Amino acid sequence: MLSLGKIFARRRRYDDLSVSIQEHLNEKVDELMEEGLTREAAELRARREFGNVTLIQEHSREVWQWPTLESILADVRFALRQLLKAPGMALLAILTLALGIGANTAMFTVMESVLLRPLPYAHSGRLIFIGPPSDEPSFGSTSWLNYRDIRAQSKLLQDVAAYSANVSVMETMYSSQSVAAPRVTTNLFSMLGVQPLLGRTFTDVEGQTGGPDVVLLSEDLWRRSFHADPSIVGSTVSINGKLHTIVGVMPDEFRFPESVGPALRKGIWLPLQPTKEMLSNRGYLFFNMVGELRPGANIAQFQHELDAIATRIRQTDASHTIAFLATPYQEALTGPVRPTLYALFGALALVLLIACANVSNLLIARSLSRQHEFAVRVALGAGRLRLVRQILSEGLTLSLFGCGVGVLLAEAIMVALRKLPPGTIPRADSISIHWTIALVLGAIAFITTVLSSLFPALLVAQADPQAVLQSASRGIGSQSVKGRFSGWLVAGEVALSTLLLVGTSLLFHTLWNLEKLQLGFDSARLTMFTAMPPDAVGFSDMVAAAGTRGAAASLATITYQPVLDRIRHMPGVTGAALI
């Protein structure tokens, strides 16, 4: 409280200090006049013996101040006044920094949300995706029998679950709609540590062959299609032509599996009930596996265990080539876009460096126009460190304003990113400004302050005040220093801009080649769409005939052939086919 009182009463203390110094000088003048000196000579000698009044006042005030608080505030206020005197330069510098800061903030927000932020599950750092060996994780590439063997033989897994991405047709009294309907083993929810918003999750009985037909709804689907009915648990809904009992509603933040994309926000979950085909055919590859490592186990140890399990499977079933690869689950989700995001972040970091170089050139030019002011202040007793602090304060002020405008620009960029086609960026729905972004903004403000103000501060520190005051040309030597600094900055800007230009040209060249890539057929005027009948069984429930000869009429022939015939006879349609 005492220090706070000093801060609020500093104006009165400063006045008392000035009065005390003046009284001391008056006493000294009176003594000298008694010795026979005239008043003018006495005042001159008294001031000479006393020293620089302004410098003594500043040193005395520093005793009462919080240097890291009041000095910074004073420097910032002075910087604001100086920037208001040159609004054009200030606006140009702020917009230049805002462009670099905004783009980097938006990109870091995407990277933090997609790559760095942990998944919203218990022990998400121990979740492992189990699939076949490949450069990129392959979803939908394992079988029920593989899942059963890994679950039974693994000692390093706390738990392991299986799931399959699927679609279904849900019918209510109001509408019929196609929804994302992943099938999951009943232990998935307990392994992930998630709880339903209403009701319960699946029981072990509901995950057995021929088990009860039950369903979990997403919160968004529950609110949109069932009007957020709190008594929805226990009611039934038709899914793929069969009645299913609703046992619970999952919260909106639960989006497993993330590979399905935003469609799961209004989706459902069904229990994965193994069929006869799943229990007998190891080549029935419609499933994915995700496991949770035991505490203390690492992925290298688990990979060694997976290799041993695969060897035992091959010894008992030589008809299939079995191999497994363990990948951190978050890396499996973000692997395809990870190199792209890193490359974009690197390019935008170069944009920020170019922006800092531009602002540094502006501050150098402004420092040159104020050389006479700095020289006078040094002659009056101001320390060079004090002048450097004020230059850095101007850079900090510009950086803070640039951060403010950059945040608005970053928000606009993120709005545009959310409008990209679904699946372009994994976990796109989770992209938002987090508390870590504030730390990054602080780091960016510090970096931009140093990069944009370092050269102008060095210019001020190296200036010779005597030469500046004596020369009508405002310091020719400083002009040469400025020329060297500006030359280096311009050379760096040209080099970075050339690098960005070459990279951008290569990117557009690649996109152009992809646009003109020959696919082996004429893709002009082709349209694709998905159609599902109300009793569609979904992908993972479809069973292919053992042979093509003598096989019964396929689902496609029975269901879709009449639709194809009608489409082919529509005006403007030259042909239709089923994929």
Side-chain angles (χ1 to χ4, degrees), residues 111-121 124-129 137 139 258 290 327-338 426-427 430:
M111 292 182 62
E112 191 273 340
S113 300
V114 176
L115 304 181
L116 305 179
R117 190 180 303 177
L119 295 170
Y121 308 127
S124 61
R126 303 208 306 260
L127 292 181
I128 301 296
F129 178 81
F139 291 93
E258 287 80 3
V290 59
T327 307
Y329 181 63
Q330 186 165 2
E331 182 178 327
L333 293 176
T334 61
V337 300
R338 188 179 294 265
R427 305 177 64 193
S430 66

Side-chain angles (χ1 to χ4, degrees), residues 214-350:
V214 294
V215 63
L216 282 167
L217 305 178
S218 65
E219 181 180 351
D220 188 76
L221 184 66
W222 169 60
R223 295 186 182 278
R224 291 175 179 269
S225 299
F226 298 92
H227 309 290
D229 182 5
S231 60
I232 192 68
V233 175
S235 59
T236 59
V237 61
S238 176
I239 298 174
N240 296 338
K242 296 176 64 176
L243 288 179
H244 287 64
T245 301
I246 300 172
V247 297
V249 177
M250 299 305 294
D252 187 62
E253 58 270 15
F254 181 71
R255 304 287 178 83
F256 188 93
E258 287 80 3
S259 57
V260 174
L264 196 53
R265 183 175 184 181
K266 53 178 182 179
I268 59 175
W269 291 267
L270 299 171
L272 205 168
Q273 301 171 341
T275 63
K276 179 181 178 180
E277 181 74 13
M278 299 178 195
L279 294 172
S280 60
N281 187 356
R282 194 174 292 275
Y284 193 83
L285 305 178
F286 273 104
F287 304 101
N288 307 291
M289 281 185 285
V290 59
E292 178 188 346
L293 291 175
R294 293 185 182 275
N298 58 54
I299 194 169
Q301 296 171 336
F302 180 57
Q303 182 63 57
H304 182 72
E305 184 182 59
L306 279 180
D307 294 339
I309 295 174
T311 301
R312 289 193 290 269
I313 293 176
R314 289 194 299 270
Q315 291 173 351
T316 59
D317 186 356
S319 60
H320 295 89
T321 302
I322 303 298
F324 302 111
L325 178 65
T327 307
Y329 181 63
Q330 186 165 2
E331 182 178 327
L333 293 176
T334 61
V337 300
R338 188 179 294 265
T340 303
L341 293 181
Y342 283 142
L344 287 175
F345 187 71
L348 292 177
L350 294 181

Side-chain angles (χ1 to χ4, degrees), residues 47 68 445 548:
R47 289 185 177 276
T68 57
T548 56

Side-chain angles (χ1 to χ4, degrees), residues 389-406:
R389 277 176 48 189
Q390 289 191 350
I391 296 296
L392 293 175
S393 297
E394 291 188 19
L396 175 62
T397 304
L398 290 174
S399 297
L400 292 178
F401 278 109
C403 285
V405 180

